[in-house]
Amino acid sequence: DLLPSSSLPRVTMMALGRLTVRSFGSSASFSTAAAFTGIGRLNHVAIAVPELEKATTFYRDVMGAKVSAPEALPEHGVTVVFVNLPNTKIELLHPLGENSPIANFIKNNPSGGIHHVCLEGENIHAALAQFKAKGIRALNAEPKIGAHGKPVVFLHPKDCGGVLVEVEQV
């Protein structure tokens, strides 16, 4: 026999991000908003380089790594080459134009150097809210699309032990 519809569980949305389930005279409410559960794996280490071809040759011909072709990203002011490693990537960054954020880094570090580390996270908006709640400043108020085509947020080095940290949504 079928149960009358009045005795079947009812699911209703009570408010944005809250779900209420009513069944047999009782109800339960819980949040449907995804929380930031912490960082995931290391996505890449970004290295600013004054000579992109020289750095590419080093990783490809000396270190034996697989490298991508250079890719100009005018919206980010950089040309990138990705060095693919078995467990992560190295992102070689070269300034594209005088207003490139990497141009100033190279000016202050003529030999180049580590620019930032990128860590993965599952919910970039929840992550950004958690960082703000814990007093960690983000360089961008809202996530933007990064070099890999995914939402990213950069965290201020002064709040992260002197390291520029990029968090990329996976």
Side-chain angles (χ1 to χ4, degrees), residues 17 31-41 119-132 141-144 150-153 155 166-170:
S31 175
T32 61
F36 177 64
T37 57
I39 60 171
R41 66 182 211 97
L119 305 169
E120 295 178 350
E122 290 189 4
N123 184 328
I124 196 77
H125 291 283
L128 185 57
Q130 181 169 313
F131 300 145
K132 287 180 183 178
E142 289 294 322
K144 61 181 183 175
K150 297 179 180 178
V152 301
V153 63
L155 304 178
E166 177 183 19
V167 178
E168 178 177 278
Q169 182 167 297
V170 290

Side-chain angles (χ1 to χ4, degrees), residues 79-143:
T79 300
V80 298
V81 168
F82 295 104
V83 180
N84 296 301
L85 304 174
N87 60 343
T88 193
K89 296 180 285 291
I90 296 173
E91 183 181 68
L92 302 177
L93 300 172
H94 183 72
L96 181 64
E98 292 180 17
N99 294 326
S100 167
I102 301 303
N104 196 42
F105 184 92
I106 295 292
K107 181 180 176 185
N108 293 327
N109 304 277
S111 298
I114 294 176
H115 184 262
H116 67 269
V117 296
C118 178
L119 305 169
E120 295 178 350
E122 290 189 4
N123 184 328
I124 196 77
H125 291 283
L128 185 57
Q130 181 169 313
F131 300 145
K132 287 180 183 178
K134 295 193 182 269
I136 306 299
R137 292 172 288 172
L139 297 184
N140 41 315
E142 289 294 322

